Amino acid sequence: MSDQAEVIAAKAAADQARARFRATADELRARLTPKALAEDAADSARQGALKLGMTSLEAARQRPGVAGSVVGLFFAVLWLRRRRTAGAKNSPGRTEHDGHA
């Protein structure tokens, strides 16, 4: 191969490499926009929630007694908190003019 042919081949290879680099840079620029990053984060969160839900469902199928106890405990805590909150609103010493009605 002559020197001139080598130079032409090298320039062609450099042009191809430059085109690949620009394409990669354009792709990265598109992927790193705030909107694209937010969509990726949302997709990741969705996938994690789905995996957690499937794992929890499988655990509940294997141990329904434990799952029922956990659900019962959850609702008991909610009921106690609501009862405590309602009791605080009706406590003596508070009036409608306190701004806490």
Side-chain angles (χ1 to χ4, degrees):
M1 193 182 245
S2 69
D3 289 341
Q4 189 175 8
E6 288 178 15
V7 170
I8 291 171
K11 284 183 179 182
D15 288 341
Q16 288 176 349
R18 197 174 297 112
R20 284 193 309 269
F21 178 77
R22 285 185 184 136
T24 301
D26 290 342
E27 182 182 336
L28 285 174
R29 197 175 299 121
R31 289 175 65 184
L32 294 176
T33 62
K35 182 179 179 181
L37 292 173
E39 288 173 357
D40 286 348
D43 287 343
S44 181
R46 243 181 260 118
Q47 291 297 323
L50 181 62
K51 185 176 180 180
L52 177 64
M54 295 302 289
T55 303
S56 300
L57 182 61
E58 185 60 33
R61 284 184 182 152
Q62 290 177 357
R63 296 181 185 90
V66 173
S69 299
V70 169
V71 170
L73 180 62
F74 174 75
F75 283 111
V77 168
L78 287 180
W79 180 75
L80 287 172
R81 287 188 65 183
R82 182 181 172 127
R83 189 170 169 213
R84 218 178 272 158
T85 303
K89 286 182 181 177
N90 298 328
S91 66
R94 286 200 178 194
T95 65
E96 290 184 25
H97 301 291
D98 285 343
H100 297 97

